[in-house]
Amino acid sequence: MLGVRDVRFAYRKGAEELFGGLTHDFAPSRVTALTGASGRGKSTLLYLVGLLLTPTGGQVLLDGEPVSEASDAVRAAVRARRVGFVFQDSELDPSRRVIDSVLEPALYAGHLREDKLQRARALLEQFGLGHRADHRPGQVSGGQAQRLAVCRALLLEPDIVLADEPTGNLDRDNAALVLGALVDVARGQGATVVIATHDPFVIAQADEVVQL
């Protein structure tokens, strides 16, 4: 179970505080959409529950434990083992081949590259990108890069998937492909999926909507 208790956040001392003491549980096997106007903290909340940021106040809980208070090493280990991120700008290393970017989470988690290579290639095929495996990120379109980011996030079959506007650069067919995969990870594999989005298509298919 992933949750927040009385969470508040400000980017610097004296800055406007976000969330106002948000308390919420994000249930396994469900897709939760975070919505709200720009500047309300949708992406920030993803970074908080993904342990990339530390709350100004309150706690992030994982399986009942306050992981936001853990050491950097512990939080990094939790991210590597249990969390898959889909960043809004894809965050692909321009110097590396597509297949190597997809395999990055495996290396961070201590797996051998060869052990996850077949799954990485299968994900690329699933998302219509098998023919791009040996290309560089600069040789793919923005929409393809976003699908690559989803492949990377799903590589290790994480039990938490956090996605920041995953359909923002996609046409409707590819948006349906990505959202379908995220829904399947939640309902078919029992993962907790949290999506920050403005997209009515995503919101309509979410199990729960949190308005920030």
Side-chain angles (χ1 to χ4, degrees):
M1 179 69 75
L2 175 68
V4 292
R5 295 291 181 273
D6 195 29
V7 157
R8 305 167 187 272
F9 183 80
Y11 277 98
R12 62 184 183 279
K13 188 174 182 179
E16 181 182 0
E17 195 174 68
L18 296 170
F19 313 125
L22 177 66
T23 293
H24 189 79
D25 288 321
F26 300 95
S29 303
R30 293 169 66 85
V31 175
T32 300
L34 303 178
T35 70
S38 296
R40 295 302 300 272
K42 297 184 296 298
S43 298
T44 300
L45 185 56
L46 286 187
Y47 297 155
L48 287 168
V49 297
L51 306 179
L52 290 170
L53 292 174
T54 301
T56 305
Q59 298 175 326
V60 176
L61 304 181
L62 183 58
D63 300 332
E65 298 296 324
V67 288
S68 55
E69 300 173 359
S71 67
D72 288 345
V74 168
R75 290 190 295 172
V78 170
R79 289 195 303 269
R81 293 196 316 267
R82 302 190 62 180
V83 183
F85 285 94
V86 183
F87 294 102
Q88 189 171 4
D89 60 0
S90 303
E91 294 284 344
L92 300 176
D93 185 340
S95 68
R96 306 178 70 188
R97 296 182 307 157
V98 160
I99 188 68
D100 295 320
S101 290
V102 174
L103 284 163
E104 264 185 340
L107 304 183
Y108 285 130
H111 297 280
L112 294 176
R113 182 182 187 279
E114 293 74 17
D115 291 343
K116 297 299 178 182
L117 184 57
Q118 183 176 352
R119 173 158 173 79
R121 292 194 180 279
L123 283 167
L124 289 173
E125 291 291 343
Q126 177 184 345
F127 285 90
L129 297 166
H131 63 298
R132 296 291 192 182
D134 294 318
H135 287 66
R136 307 286 177 181
Q139 297 172 305
V140 302
S141 70
Q144 289 173 329
Q146 193 68 358
R147 283 181 280 153
L148 288 170
V150 175
C151 293
R152 182 178 59 186
L154 300 184
L155 178 71
L156 298 182
E157 301 177 273
D159 51 16
I160 298 168
V161 178
L162 307 174
D164 194 358
E165 297 284 0
T167 62
N169 295 324
L170 303 179
D171 59 37
R172 185 52 70 222
D173 287 344
N174 281 310
L177 176 65
V178 165
L179 183 58
L182 295 176
V183 168
D184 183 62
V185 166
R187 298 174 189 167
Q189 300 177 32
T192 300
V193 177
V194 186
I195 304 174
T197 185
H198 289 103
D199 190 343
F201 177 69
V202 175
I203 294 167
Q205 297 191 54
D207 299 298
E208 179 182 37
V209 178
V210 175
Q211 181 84 30
L212 297 179

